[in-house]
Amino acid sequence: MMEHTVRAFEDDITRLRGLIAEMGGLSEVSVQEALDAMVNGNEQLAEQVIERDKRIDALEMEVDRLAVRIIALRAPMADDLREVIAALKIAGVVERIGDYAKNIAKRVGKIEGRRHFEPLTLLPAMGDIATQMVHDVLTAYAARDPVLARKVIATDKKVDAFYDSIFRNLVTHMVENPATISSAAQLLFVARNIERVGDHATNVAEMVHFAATGNYPPEEDQKD
Amino acid sequence: MMEHTVRAFEDDITRLRGLIAEMGGLSEVSVQEALDAMVNGNEQLAEQVIERDKRIDALEMEVDRLAVRIIALRAPMADDLREVIAALKIAGVVERIGDYAKNIAKRVGKIEGRRHFEPLTLLPAMGDIATQMVHDVLTAYAARDPVLARKVIATDKKVDAFYDSIFRNLVTHMVENPATISSAAQLLFVARNIERVGDHATNVAEMVHFAATGNYPPEEDQKD
């Protein structure tokens, strides 16, 4: 490429990365706020999370359009093309993390007897680990840091263990309190959504590792 | 493009579409077999579904590689580029449908007292509608048929209604049979997975509509 073309390509890539960082930040906040709304029964906050998802979706479409424009105008080769395709894929995964937050927010109004619902109090700690994974994987993406990406992948085991424990706790709670089964079923889905957030952060981490090193992380790190 | 380049591009696109058709066929069979295994407690069939998912994942990577090669070598513009990007995205969604099938298959061993578990018998009918949607949306993709794509989008309401009814049925079953709560919780996730298969078929239908007409389907058709 000629020098001004290289410069223009780099400007475009910077913009693409900026859009993904913005999407990531919004998704991270949404997961936290959705769980906050869930624990406190704050339907107004839940509404805010649901609204924000539209912005995240719009950003994904902006990433798609910009990526297509970069490919069409700059005709990047090899590593540069791999970077643009990775951005397209990462934007798709981050958008799904936003969807999980929205999904949690939509269940806020469906929980009854929140005050005495012990399993509710387990979710925020699980959510903290998953949102930290989202935060770290976006840092790893921005810094092209494969070591941090592998740390994110390793953390997913904690989220999975939390999920198993919450699943068992909720089933026990259902058996002992049949009147709460409908609410507890909603919380099963919430726990599952958080577990999926961790899975998606792991997927992004694998892509970041690949984009940074040209290799996927070693088998023992990878998600099944 | 020069004539031989046009020809080479069309050959590549045909290959890309063939790979997606293959992925779609495998995913459709996997959803059906996973539900069959679930209803009959057939763990061997479940294992087969889990194994097949690796093939679906490998096909997605083949689509990605081929798409990148097409973009790099043929430098398609406008509509042609939109077609390649659409293929990348559709492959990603079809891969996720395969994941839902695998997810259902993994729960086969976790259901106890299958013989007297009435809610189990509701799942195959729901699964039939969802797999038909997957089948139809791939036909719509192959034929670039926006009318069939809109039919798929409309069908998703049926899957959602089925899901709501199964959810209520399972909660009632849990209340009346506390001993089955753990198994019923697994079935909640199975129903949810089928509902997500319908959602993803709808997403693909929106992309097919867009690729065929340059517009997304009218608002009233679209998934929230």
Side-chain angles (χ1 to χ4, degrees), chain A residues 60 64 68 71-72 81 85 89 96 103 106-107 163 167 171 174-175 181 185-186 188-189 192 224, chain B residues 60 64 68 71-72 81 85 89 96 103 106-107 163 167 174-175 181 185-186 188-189 192 224:
Chain A
E60 189 200 4
D64 287 0
V68 167
I71 294 170
L81 181 57
I85 300 287
K89 298 212 141 209
R96 281 157 71 188
N103 202 294
K106 281 187 171 174
R107 296 180 192 275
Y163 171 72
F167 182 90
V171 167
M174 285 168 156
V175 172
I181 283 179
Q186 296 295 339
L188 276 178
F189 286 121
R192 175 76 180 161
D224 163 30
Chain B
E60 189 200 5
D64 287 0
V68 167
I71 294 170
L81 181 56
I85 299 286
K89 297 212 140 208
R96 282 157 72 188
N103 201 293
K106 281 186 171 175
R107 296 179 191 277
Y163 171 71
F167 182 90
M174 285 168 157
V175 172
I181 283 178
Q186 298 294 340
L188 276 179
F189 286 120
R192 175 74 179 163
D224 163 29

Side-chain angles (χ1 to χ4, degrees), chain A residues 75-94:
Chain A
M77 301 295 277
D79 284 7
D80 289 339
L81 181 57
R82 199 173 67 193
E83 161 112 31
V84 178
I85 300 287
L88 265 177
K89 298 212 141 209
I90 290 173
V93 180
V94 173

